[in-house]
Amino acid sequence: MRIIYETEEGGVAVIIPAPECNLTIEEIAAKDVPKGVSYHIVDASEVPSDRTFRGAWSWE
Amino acid sequence: MSTVKSSSEDLTLNADGSGNDVVIQGNGTNTATITAEGLLKYNSGYGSVATAYGCRAWVNFNGTGTVAIRGSGNVSSITDNGLGDYTVNFTTAMPDANFNVVGMVCATSDGNKSSLRGISLYGPASITTTTARIRTMNGINTAAYDAETTSVSIFR
């Protein structure tokens, strides 16, 4: 799973949970997403693996 | 040989009283101490009993393709902010932001093991009690770069 949110600069940040972490994805989102920022929990397969234009990613 | 053993419950070594330490000796010599303040001190080849400053968090991750964490300790997640731009998020916060960040990066996909890669803190405000934001780069032209292996350790 991945947590996606839009950054202040207009880009997209992707949170990758640590496998050894004993927190749920929701707990990680509550802790690691900046306060007041909305986010989305998606499957890792929904995040592009081609990072050639990483800076141009957007969330729809 | 004498053995201190507890099979059914926690074993407590209690140096009761204000300022008293728990001391372990070998052949009459102090080899390790847990102070009343909670500092762990040991010799272990130092030549003297000194405070051990432990690694408080660490992570090893692949920053290419589908970014993934290989292993970690006291890290809840990493945030992929962009090309060569990551934030390490701690599970348990540090007591302050004056800790030491150590990092290494390695690129093997290009087959050039002599390639120079670099890692740095993202900026003056890149560390907080709960995070450390780092930047990985091409060591020659400092352009942002995703590395196959990025490892970061936090000492305090």
Side-chain angles (χ1 to χ4, degrees):
Chain A
M1 302 297 285
R2 297 289 187 265
I3 303 162
I4 310 283
Y5 65 89
E6 291 186 60
T7 66
E8 290 181 348
E9 298 79 21
V12 173
V14 181
I15 292 181
I16 299 97
E20 289 94 342
C21 177
N22 290 323
L23 300 176
T24 65
I25 191 81
E26 290 80 11
E27 289 172 328
I28 292 172
K31 192 178 78 61
D32 296 342
V33 174
K35 301 302 178 196
V37 174
S38 61
Y39 62 86
H40 309 273
I41 296 174
V42 302
D43 192 86
S45 62
E46 294 187 51
V47 178
S49 58
D50 184 350
R51 297 173 61 83
T52 306
F53 300 103
R54 176 63 181 83
W57 287 7
S58 62
W59 172 258
E60 295 179 357
Chain B
M1 181 176 72
S2 299
T3 302
V4 178
K5 180 180 180 181
S6 176
S7 302
S8 60
E9 58 185 11
D10 293 343
L11 176 64
T12 300
L13 299 177
N14 187 357
D16 208 3
S18 178
N20 290 344
D21 300 337
V22 174
V23 178
I24 299 173
Q25 291 188 339
N27 197 25
T29 301
N30 184 356
T31 57
T33 300
I34 302 174
T35 70
E37 294 77 25
L39 295 179
L40 170 62
K41 301 182 176 184
Y42 58 69
N43 187 314
S44 192
Y46 292 151
S48 63
V49 175
T51 302
Y53 298 99
C55 176
R56 296 305 183 127
W58 63 274
V59 63
N60 177 321
F61 65 91
N62 182 351
T64 65
T66 300
V67 177
I69 295 175
R70 296 188 181 91
S72 65
N74 191 28
V75 167
S76 57
S77 68
I78 58 170
T79 304
D80 164 20
N81 303 299
L83 186 68
D85 179 356
Y86 310 94
T87 300
V88 179
N89 301 301
F90 309 138
T91 304
T92 300
M94 305 297 155
D96 56 44
N98 300 323
F99 49 81
N100 188 28
V101 183
V102 179
M104 294 290 282
V105 291
C106 178
T108 55
S109 60
D110 58 8
N112 183 358
K113 293 180 180 176
S114 64
S115 294
L116 181 61
R117 309 299 179 192
I119 184 169
S120 72
L121 290 172
Y122 195 79
S126 59
I127 58 175
T128 70
T129 57
T130 57
T131 63
R133 187 171 180 176
I134 60 163
R135 183 171 177 265
T136 57
M137 67 195 86
N138 183 315
I140 297 173
N141 60 17
T142 71
Y145 177 84
D146 291 325
E148 283 189 336
T149 298
T150 301
S151 60
V152 178
S153 299
I154 308 299
F155 288 87
R156 191 184 186 288

